[in-house]
Amino acid sequence: MAHAHTVKRHKGLMDWLTTVDHKKIAILYLIAGGFFFGIGGIEALLIRVQLAKPMNDFVTAQQFNELITMHGTTMIFLGVMPVIFALMNAVIPLQIGARDVAFPFLNSLGFWTFLFGGLLLNLSWILGGAPDAGWTSYTPLSSTTYSLTHGVDFYTIGLQIAGLGTLIGGINFLATIITMRAPGMSFMRMPMFTWTTFVTSTMILFAFPAITVGLVLLTFDRILGANFFDVAQGGNPVLWQHIFWIFGHPEVYILILPAFGVISEVVSTFSRKRLFGYSSMVFATILIAFLGFMVWAHHMFTTGMGPVANALFSIATMLIAVPTGIKIFNWLFTMWGGQIRFTTANLFASGFIPTFVMGGVTGVMLASAPADYQYHDTYFVVAHFHYVIVGGLVLGLFAGLHYWWPKMFGRVLNEKLGKVEFWTFIIGFHMTFFVQHFLGLIGMQRRVFTYLPNQGFDTMNLVSTIGAFLMGVGVIIFLVNVVLSFRQPKGVAGDVWEDGRTLEWAIASPPPEYNFKQTPLVRGIDAFWKEKMAGNKEMTPAEPVGPIHMPSPTILPFMMSVGLFIAGLGFMFTNDDFGNSVLNFLFGKYIITGLGLAITFGCMLLRSLFDDHGWHIDPDELNDKEVKAS
Amino acid sequence: MTGYTTCLYIPEKKTEKWGRSMMKPWKAVKRLVPLFAGLSLLLSACGREDLSVLRPQGTVAEEQLGLIKLSITIMVAVMLIVFGIAAFVWIKFRRKPGQNEVPKQVEGNFKLEVIWTAIPLVLVLILAVATVQKVFAFGENYSADKNAVKVKVTSHLFWWEFSYPDYGITTAQDLVIPTGKKIALELKTADVLHSFWVPSLAGKTDTNTDGTINNAWIEAKNEGVYLGKCAELCGPSHAFMEFKVKAVSDDEFNAWVDAMKAPAVLPEDPAVAEVFKNQCLTCHAVGDQGGPIGPNLTGIGSRESVASILLNAEGEGNYVGSKPAKDNMKEWLMDPQAVKPGNKMPSPKEDLGLTDDEINAIAQYLADYKLSY
Amino acid sequence: MSTPHPQQAAGALPHEPEKATLEGRNKVLGFWLFLGGESVLFGTLFATFLTLRNQVADGPSASELFSLPMTAAATFILLVSSLTSVFAIQAMHRGNRTSLARWLGVTVVLGLAFLILEIYEFAEYIIHDGYGMTTSAFSSAFYTLVGFHGAHVLFGILWISILIGQLFKKGLTVVTAPKIYVSAMYWHFIDVVWVFIFTVVYLLGKVVG
């Protein structure tokens, strides 16, 4: 094994562009996700400023529609999804005792396609106008007849590219969890976050191709003149709604399940108790995922599907309350009889429970179709899904970030500041969204750029706007906390919370490049806790110390994504007249599109022709690093 | 104090009650009954009578509110149980200083797990039964019913067209209906998707394109003017795509139909009439004259608003901030885009070349064009 | 990067070389998952086609348009190519590189024949009948579904051709074997999709109308 280090190692920016290390990719996801989350947040604040008083003219009607479209799209696809992927990348290989993911190359490709898709979508702000047909982009409003700018093209093509990244990520985590688990870690010994990642990845695999097709059809309608949604030529706008929500509803569970996983880990750790009802938790997760694919049409109760369909989809939707309830009670009884420590992470997890329950019960209310005829497309719905996505998912993500921050960066976030951040954020959150339930019930429909005075909407809207700014303050405190954390020296204890239960706490913070010097032997659920209870300080190794095989860094994923970005941009402007014969030729004859695709497929060819055998870290070097690390 | 501010206090009252019931859990059930009664009272006091889901004025909206109350009751109960357990756990099982023994690692409890699977299932079933009943009741199609009044609703960017096939009349923006009768609606769109919503009378129905046309019904119990809104994002002026439902007595309704059928009244001044005919009637109609592209203007002076958001002082809705119909009409005609961004009407001044005097005269004529009923 | 793999140096190849290494097993599993996603992709396209297949607007309907003998021939060709790719994998399991390359070659040629027939069919409709993507909702759905499949066939042909080249350059190893194995999985998958296309698009269109 004398051929170690034949691989070129990069430094600085090139290191980040070429990395295939899941821990570094996690950080990339976190930075990019945080960036887009910030953009989406600013959009949210602009929306709330516009709605602070009746007949406000802070933004125009057109700008407002662009803001709400981009706020929704950015937050869901580019804000929270990547942060979820950041946590998955940072934690999953460690939790299952693996040295890396199954496909390090694809992992990097998934990140870069997501990033370039997101950048393409946001380029719309400076290239003629953002999409304006809502994040659902219902046809015919999103057709070229009614949406005149390239906005919706940026939406369809940007999301296709970003969605490709998500799909790749999903496949990667599925394969990783199936094949890369350490010896002894059976499926029913996997930590809950690994389980929810597994189920979420399955949902991604089956949901994302559907929206990809929908987006392709809409792109073809808009650019090639196809007639999928053009009624005059026999098309069917309701078809778009079905395709969108067949993806869209599973997407909701794709978002929330990882948060369930985070909460399970955090609550259990800080109660010093194993997760109550682990098997029923697993069962509930799978059931939610399964039902999640059966209920898409509850977004379409007012579309006119007929009473039979409405009744069936109502009942199916209500049933989801049962497994969700199981989860809630399991968390409460995990804490029951424990020794609860309210760290910032656990505060967020504790705040999650009642907040998410409130979002959940309004969900059941919405499931009742005849009542939904009243709630549908009002602020009641806006309140509901923000309770679920912000009150559920975002609180879960904050809990996860505070919990795993030391593992990712080797530094702890300030606890005092964290508590201020929690209270500001959650009070702001309830202020913003609680009143919106009532706004909906007293007649305020959603997606309105302003409203007439004297309808009883004014006070509650003002309260909502103030709350939104409070949430903004909470996020800024978090950012300050992040900056401060980097002023500490790196390298806290491996089991920094002292009550770590799962494998990631058995190794250094941050972990070395190869994660585990020796693959650990798993002897039960909560493997590390079990060893600690048996009086061991470390995991029992399942193999002798030997050379560790590592994948080589590569720039190809980055280049492939650049290619897709160029191809997408080129395709979008196919029918434009630039008033310049060279540009018209380049875009109109698909030259730019072809060039982009050539880059992408060329990189694939290179990847196939030149095999990556990786490189090895020698055992003596492992011992060196051990010395350096400790 | 108006209804909606009362709404704001609900959460506080709730936590207060909940806090007390936590201290004396055995009294919780006793306390819950008046709480729910109080809650529904509070809810029914919320919002404007002609706009709020919580203050229904028609059969469908009443039954919908019934269902909403049932589900809110169940859900508040669930929330109280969860919040109660959570608060208890958080307080009771905090880690005390110096506490360091390892708590018992409980794997689960089959009995408990069965209970919290079964009870939600039962609650869901209760709601499901009520849901299915109402789904079919509201899905009834009355378009073949002889006693029902049939109305074809066509939505446009950003206005509403109502035609009565049995009477051969078409109007816009104000849907006039008799009280106590079922109104059988057939809803479709002329462009993008919209959604027809009169919160105090009934929930929404989308107006789809040809091929997926919807039917729905409403029924107003009391005379009055109710606010209607578009509830599906349809473009810049989605927020302003409002309409009114005017519920009148049977006699008044018949009188209105007759007045609508009467021959069109044109401006008295022949010069104004000429401009009106050449410029306005290419798209709009009065009586049997003109075109179908824009809103029908027959008797527009009797309507509640101009362009749905400029409220008329003469209207029966008694709106705060309303202005005389003529002023509203003039404001609209001087610059339609300023009132409703993105609307499809050409600017009388910029595009059609009307002078200020002509606009003034036409505004006066339209404001005076009233129907007697 | 050019260091020989230990097993390759030893010269002996296991019976199922595609599953000999963790990388190989991951590749096969990952590809199964990918095909799961592809199924949803084509499933959605099929659903779209079924919704719109009678929406012909002013254009011709399916029964006026299609000629069954030609598509039946295309179907036959593609089915045979599936069989030849099975022979290729059998040859691989025997460790017979020459036979493997030969059967892969036959598969590529058959795939090309299929693709030429499809291009001919499209050209016939577009140039001869003036029947394009923009004619009707049915035509959009038809070209998108069948075109997506055609693009998959094209990709498969290029992919397998490149693998034949690698087979000669690098030999049959635990690195090249998984690649060949997953390309065969891919080829079977697009065959199965075609069987559905033939049934749902052509037979249903021609017979039921």
Side-chain angles (χ1 to χ4, degrees):
Chain A
M1 296 302 156
H3 58 274
H5 294 289
T6 50
V7 67
K8 190 169 177 239
R9 313 221 48 189
H10 299 284
K11 285 249 155 60
L13 181 65
M14 267 316 267
D15 178 30
W16 288 102
L17 295 184
T18 59
T19 185
V20 289
D21 179 356
H22 70 96
K23 297 177 287 298
K24 284 187 177 158
I25 291 176
I27 294 170
L28 288 174
Y29 265 118
L30 186 60
I31 295 169
F35 170 70
F36 287 122
F37 187 84
I39 292 182
I42 291 168
E43 284 157 358
L45 291 179
L46 295 176
I47 291 171
R48 277 321 317 171
V49 170
Q50 165 67 13
L51 292 175
K53 62 179 178 119
M55 296 304 280
N56 200 359
D57 57 357
F58 176 71
V59 295
T60 65
Q62 174 65 24
Q63 285 166 341
F64 185 86
N65 286 353
E66 293 177 17
L67 281 173
I68 55 161
T69 305
M70 287 300 282
H71 166 69
T73 314
T74 305
M75 281 303 195
I76 293 210
F77 291 97
L78 313 175
V80 289
M81 289 286 289
V83 179
I84 292 172
F85 269 110
L87 289 182
M88 288 179 179
N89 264 299
V91 176
I92 294 300
L94 307 183
Q95 276 199 334
I96 62 174
R99 296 225 167 86
D100 207 329
V101 293
F103 307 111
F105 180 90
L106 285 186
N107 201 9
S108 154
L109 179 62
F111 169 74
W112 291 110
T113 45
F114 139 72
L115 179 66
F116 278 99
L119 290 177
L120 185 66
L121 180 55
N122 273 281
L123 262 187
S124 62
W125 283 117
I126 50 171
L127 289 178
D132 55 2
W135 89 282
T136 50
S137 279
Y138 274 14
T139 56
L141 184 62
S142 56
S143 69
T144 41
T145 320
Y146 299 104
S147 185
L148 304 173
T149 66
H150 273 297
V152 178
D153 297 324
F154 281 101
Y155 167 94
T156 57
I157 294 173
L159 287 189
Q160 277 173 64
I161 297 174
L164 192 65
T166 309
L167 182 65
I168 291 171
I171 291 178
N172 183 23
F173 280 109
L174 272 179
T176 304
I177 294 171
I178 293 174
T179 64
M180 310 283 281
R181 281 167 291 132
M185 180 167 285
S186 62
F187 270 94
M188 289 312 277
R189 283 180 183 176
M190 290 194 319
M192 209 51 218
F193 183 61
T194 304
W195 255 115
T196 54
T197 299
F198 182 72
V199 175
T200 284
S201 302
T202 317
M203 297 189 79
I204 288 175
L205 179 61
F206 291 113
F208 267 77
I211 190 66
T212 303
V213 169
L215 293 169
V216 166
L217 303 186
L218 187 53
T219 312
F220 281 8
D221 262 19
R222 287 182 58 92
I223 293 172
L224 302 181
N227 308 306
F228 293 102
F229 310 116
D230 180 2
V231 187
Q233 300 297 318
N236 187 346
V238 177
L239 178 67
W240 166 264
Q241 299 181 19
H242 279 290
I243 295 179
F244 186 86
W245 289 116
I246 281 176
F247 149 79
H249 199 77
E251 169 71 10
V252 176
Y253 293 99
I254 290 170
L255 296 176
I256 198 65
L257 287 181
F260 286 173
V262 172
I263 302 301
S264 303
E265 303 285 330
V266 171
V267 162
S268 152
T269 301
F270 293 111
S271 306
R272 307 188 83 197
K273 270 186 69 198
R274 66 173 280 171
L275 193 63
F276 189 93
Y278 172 85
S279 337
S280 68
M281 247 3 199
V282 171
F283 165 75
T285 309
I286 296 171
L287 197 61
I288 290 173
F290 179 77
L291 288 172
F293 276 97
M294 309 283 149
V295 297
W296 78 88
H298 69 215
H299 296 270
M300 300 165 58
F301 282 148
T302 65
T303 299
M305 298 180 299
V308 178
N310 279 3
L312 287 175
F313 279 104
S314 284
I315 295 169
T317 307
M318 288 177 193
L319 284 179
I320 297 186
V322 178
T324 313
I326 292 177
K327 282 185 165 282
I328 301 282
F329 285 111
N330 276 333
W331 288 321
L332 291 177
F333 278 78
T334 302
M335 295 189 281
W336 191 294
Q339 297 166 4
I340 308 170
R341 193 148 55 108
F342 285 104
T343 56
T344 308
N346 200 26
L347 265 183
F348 274 108
S350 303
F352 167 97
I353 294 175
T355 313
F356 184 75
V357 167
M358 289 171 76
V361 294
T362 50
V364 181
M365 291 171 68
L366 283 159
S368 172
D372 177 70
Y373 300 157
Q374 288 285 22
Y375 312 130
H376 184 82
D377 265 343
T378 68
Y379 263 86
F380 188 88
V381 176
V382 177
H384 158 72
F385 67 70
H386 282 97
Y387 263 83
V388 179
I389 293 182
V390 183
L393 172 62
V394 174
L395 289 183
L397 289 178
F398 274 121
L401 285 173
H402 279 271
Y403 181 57
W404 281 307
W405 197 267
K407 192 49 69 182
M408 290 178 78
F409 297 101
R411 300 165 171 100
V412 189
L413 288 170
N414 185 300
E415 279 290 310
K416 270 193 193 129
L417 215 50
K419 277 165 195 168
V420 178
E421 161 202 329
F422 166 76
W423 287 111
T424 334
F425 189 81
I426 199 158
I427 291 171
F429 167 78
H430 283 280
M431 257 179 94
T432 313
F433 295 108
F434 188 76
V435 289
Q436 291 186 359
H437 293 113
F438 296 93
L439 275 175
L441 290 175
I442 65 169
M444 182 162 169
Q445 73 277 46
R446 69 190 274 214
R447 291 169 164 174
V448 287
F449 84 101
T450 191
Y451 47 93
L452 294 180
N454 305 310
Q455 298 188 89
F457 300 165
D458 309 5
T459 320
M460 285 195 262
N461 269 301
L462 185 61
V463 169
S464 191
T465 300
I466 296 169
F469 276 90
L470 212 52
M471 286 169 77
V473 172
V475 173
I476 290 172
I477 299 174
F478 174 74
L479 290 178
V480 170
N481 204 346
V482 166
V483 172
L484 290 181
S485 83
F486 281 98
R487 296 173 62 178
Q488 303 167 23
K490 195 170 170 178
V492 291
D495 186 12
V496 61
W497 303 114
E498 291 164 1
D499 293 320
R501 309 179 70 85
T502 39
L503 284 177
E504 73 267 34
W505 306 111
I507 51 174
S509 307
E513 198 173 5
Y514 45 83
N515 297 350
F516 296 88
K517 192 167 100 182
Q518 292 162 287
T519 302
L521 179 68
V522 174
R523 296 201 274 202
I525 194 166
D526 292 339
F528 184 47
W529 176 266
K530 204 173 167 65
E531 297 294 331
K532 285 196 288 187
M533 287 300 110
N536 301 329
K537 288 228 164 69
E538 292 181 342
M539 296 300 298
T540 312
E543 58 173 17
V545 178
I548 293 172
H549 179 245
M550 301 296 290
S552 313
T554 164
I555 192 72
L556 291 179
F558 178 83
M559 294 307 294
M560 284 173 76
S561 309
V562 171
L564 286 176
F565 178 85
I566 295 172
L569 208 56
F571 190 59
M572 198 180 305
F573 290 97
T574 300
N575 302 319
D576 279 47
D577 186 6
F578 294 89
N580 173 331
S581 61
V582 178
L583 280 180
N584 282 351
F585 175 75
L586 287 178
F587 282 93
K589 299 287 178 204
Y590 303 108
I591 309 285
I592 305 280
T593 314
L595 179 75
L597 290 178
I599 295 175
T600 303
F601 284 111
C603 291
M604 279 173 79
L605 180 65
L606 290 177
R607 171 76 180 164
S608 178
L609 292 180
F610 301 102
D611 292 312
D612 166 30
H613 296 294
W615 53 287
H616 287 84
I617 302 178
D618 287 336
D620 28 314
E621 201 189 344
L622 284 175
N623 292 330
D624 285 357
K625 286 197 179 180
E626 193 86 346
V627 174
K628 264 183 250 159
S630 52
Chain B
M1 184 175 287
T2 40
Y4 65 88
T5 39
T6 326
C7 284
L8 282 175
Y9 295 111
I10 288 181
E12 290 175 24
K13 280 193 191 292
K14 205 166 54 200
T15 23
E16 192 190 336
K17 290 266 183 191
W18 155 67
R20 265 190 242 143
S21 65
M22 270 324 298
M23 280 178 274
K24 296 172 189 165
W26 58 92
K27 282 197 174 169
V29 182
K30 260 189 194 169
R31 287 178 181 279
L32 287 184
V33 179
L35 169 65
F36 290 145
L39 194 69
S40 42
L41 258 176
L42 279 176
L43 286 179
S44 61
C46 281
R48 250 166 70 166
E49 195 179 36
D50 56 352
L51 177 63
S52 176
V53 172
L54 305 173
R55 302 180 69 179
Q57 309 295 321
T59 320
V60 179
E62 269 176 9
E63 291 179 25
Q64 279 165 334
L65 184 62
L67 196 55
I68 292 172
K69 280 181 180 162
L70 170 72
S71 52
I72 287 187
T73 311
I74 296 176
M75 297 312 147
V76 168
V78 169
M79 276 162 56
L80 289 180
I81 292 168
V82 174
F83 291 6
I85 298 176
F88 175 75
V89 166
W90 289 333
I91 294 163
K92 176 92 201 277
F93 299 108
R94 250 168 200 285
R95 188 189 296 193
K96 324 268 176 321
Q99 190 181 23
N100 229 346
E101 83 283 358
V102 176
K104 195 179 165 217
Q105 303 290 307
V106 187
E107 204 173 311
N109 183 322
F110 186 71
K111 248 186 225 163
L112 274 177
E113 287 171 56
V114 168
I115 289 173
W116 64 58
T117 310
I119 292 178
L121 204 58
V122 172
L123 294 178
V124 159
L125 281 179
I126 295 172
L127 194 56
V129 170
T131 296
V132 173
Q133 278 174 349
K134 293 283 183 282
V135 163
F136 285 93
F138 298 158
E140 207 69 55
N141 186 349
Y142 288 101
S143 55
D145 187 335
K146 284 208 180 79
N147 294 322
V149 177
K150 283 172 270 305
V151 180
K152 285 188 174 182
V153 177
T154 310
S155 52
H156 301 256
L157 293 163
F158 300 92
W159 58 280
W160 296 86
E161 178 182 327
F162 306 108
S163 69
Y164 300 68
D166 292 346
Y167 305 106
I169 52 176
T170 297
T171 185
Q173 297 302 58
D174 285 14
L175 171 61
V176 181
I177 59 167
T179 53
K181 270 194 175 165
K182 295 212 161 55
I183 315 298
L185 304 172
E186 185 188 298
L187 306 110
K188 67 170 205 162
T189 178
D191 33 62
V192 304
L193 306 188
H194 305 271
S195 195
F196 178 92
W197 186 34
V198 194
S200 52
L201 292 183
K204 293 154 212 85
T205 310
D206 289 2
T207 62
N208 291 339
T209 51
D210 282 327
T212 40
I213 292 173
N214 284 326
N215 288 292
W217 63 276
I218 55 173
E219 183 180 39
K221 290 203 159 168
N222 311 313
E223 289 182 30
V225 182
Y226 306 108
L227 262 63
K229 299 193 172 207
C230 170
E232 180 68 62
L233 178 64
C234 55
S237 280
H238 165 56
F240 292 154
M241 194 174 155
E242 301 193 350
F243 61 99
K244 308 282 183 297
V245 177
K246 219 176 201 171
V248 296
S249 70
D250 243 358
D251 292 344
E252 278 178 299
F253 179 72
N254 291 332
W256 176 76
V257 170
D258 291 341
M260 283 295 290
K261 282 181 173 171
V265 182
L266 285 177
E268 280 167 23
D269 182 339
V272 178
E274 194 60 22
V275 174
F276 185 69
K277 264 188 183 165
N278 292 338
Q279 303 290 5
C280 308
L281 290 188
T282 43
C283 296
H284 296 279
V286 283
D288 52 356
Q289 300 185 39
I293 298 167
N296 189 302
L297 301 177
T298 314
I300 188 171
S302 308
R303 290 186 195 158
E304 295 292 315
S305 69
V306 173
S308 65
I309 53 162
L310 303 174
L311 305 171
N312 293 343
E314 296 90 331
E316 285 164 30
N318 298 320
Y319 302 112
V320 185
S322 58
K323 283 184 291 186
K326 197 217 153 183
D327 295 2
N328 284 337
M329 193 59 78
K330 206 171 153 191
E331 183 181 347
W332 167 253
L333 291 175
M334 290 306 275
D335 191 358
Q337 289 299 329
V339 178
K340 258 189 180 179
N343 82 79
K344 302 289 173 201
M345 173 154 149
S347 164
K349 231 175 145 165
E350 308 283 323
D351 303 324
L352 304 176
L354 269 66
T355 63
D356 284 1
D357 288 346
E358 284 167 338
I359 289 176
N360 198 35
I362 288 173
Q364 187 67 56
Y365 151 70
L366 289 173
D368 291 343
Y369 191 170
K370 292 186 163 53
L371 301 176
S372 53
Y373 64 97
Chain C
M1 210 178 259
S2 56
T3 43
H5 196 279
Q7 274 171 320
Q8 192 189 338
L13 211 54
H15 170 61
E16 287 187 332
E18 73 275 7
K19 290 173 187 158
T21 61
L22 177 65
E23 283 79 6
R25 286 194 298 275
N26 278 347
K27 196 170 258 182
V28 174
L29 172 72
F31 207 79
W32 272 114
L33 297 171
F34 169 72
L35 291 184
E38 285 267 273
S39 308
V40 178
L41 188 107
F42 276 103
T44 316
L45 283 171
F46 274 111
T48 305
F49 178 82
L50 284 171
T51 312
L52 300 175
R53 71 184 198 90
N54 293 320
Q55 304 296 328
V56 295
D58 300 329
S61 67
S63 56
E64 289 160 12
L65 202 62
F66 298 146
S67 107
L68 272 190
M70 196 173 71
T71 43
T75 309
F76 181 73
I77 291 172
L78 206 60
L79 284 180
V80 172
S81 79
S82 219
L83 188 67
T84 57
S85 74
V86 172
F87 291 155
I89 296 302
Q90 283 178 342
M92 183 174 89
H93 285 167
R94 286 196 308 272
N96 188 338
R97 192 177 75 169
T98 326
S99 170
L100 164 60
R102 201 171 288 147
W103 281 119
L104 287 180
V106 176
T107 309
V108 167
V109 170
L110 289 172
L112 263 178
F114 170 87
L115 203 59
I116 288 168
L117 276 182
E118 186 160 277
I119 292 169
Y120 173 77
E121 185 199 355
F122 275 22
E124 200 53 13
Y125 298 153
I126 294 169
I127 298 161
H128 197 249
D129 305 342
Y131 179 73
M133 186 76 149
T134 56
T135 309
S136 65
F138 162 66
S139 79
S140 304
F142 167 76
Y143 283 115
T144 306
L145 172 59
V146 181
F148 247 78
H149 177 265
H152 273 75
V153 175
L154 175 66
F155 184 84
I157 290 170
L158 295 173
W159 184 13
I160 297 175
S161 307
I162 291 164
L163 290 183
I164 295 174
Q166 292 190 28
L167 208 48
F168 283 111
K169 194 110 195 281
K170 302 177 190 167
L172 178 60
T173 67
V174 290
V175 177
T176 49
K179 295 185 186 180
I180 290 165
Y181 189 81
V182 295
S183 75
M185 281 166 62
Y186 176 83
W187 196 258
H188 290 310
F189 175 77
I190 54 180
D191 254 18
V192 172
V193 171
W194 178 259
V195 171
F196 279 103
I197 290 180
F198 182 66
T199 317
V200 171
V201 178
Y202 292 97
L203 276 185
L204 205 63
K206 199 72 188 172
V207 181
V208 182

